[in-house]
Amino acid sequence: MSRNSPPEHTPDGRYVVIGGRRWRATDPDLPADAAARLRAHLMTARRAVGTALRAHDEEAEREARRRVHTAKVALGERGTPWWDQTDSERRTRWLDGLATLDRGHGPR
């Protein structure tokens, strides 16, 4: 896999394989605009984790990690597997995640 090519998926489409390791795939039914916003939140939160670690700021690190988790759940990469959720549950999952992240914080 090159940096610009999509990752390999398992035959059922539920996981991506990167470096020989399986990771849960993003919910394929997530609207493209919502997925893009969630990925932007995810990357911002990951950068905030690094900044907090370098600053030895434990509270900022906890908050940033909460935001990472919220984005990953909303994307369907953590929490209840998207293939076990109804369409309504899936929609609620990503809408709630976006609403939380748009407010600027993760769940408590």
Side-chain angles (χ1 to χ4, degrees), residues 26-102:
T26 298
D27 183 342
D29 290 338
L30 194 64
D33 60 327
R37 286 175 55 206
L38 287 166
R39 280 191 297 274
H41 280 297
L42 175 61
M43 297 316 295
T44 298
R46 284 180 169 166
R47 285 190 298 274
V49 169
T51 299
L53 286 170
R54 287 187 296 279
H56 305 287
D57 185 338
E58 292 179 6
E59 180 56 33
E61 179 189 353
R62 278 191 296 276
E63 178 61 26
R65 289 187 187 280
R66 277 193 288 267
R67 292 192 330 261
V68 167
H69 180 72
T70 299
K72 298 286 277 179
V73 169
L75 286 163
E77 297 174 10
R78 290 187 184 162
T80 303
W82 48 261
W83 56 87
D84 287 341
Q85 293 181 312
T86 65
D87 289 344
S88 175
E89 290 169 330
R90 291 163 84 174
R91 181 174 173 78
T92 298
R93 184 196 69 236
W94 64 261
L95 286 174
D96 287 353
L98 274 174
T100 298
L101 292 164
D102 286 344

Side-chain angles (χ1 to χ4, degrees), residues 1-9 16-18:
M1 179 183 91
S2 74
R3 186 171 175 93
N4 294 326
S5 66
E8 172 190 349
H9 280 76
V16 294
V17 180
I18 301 171

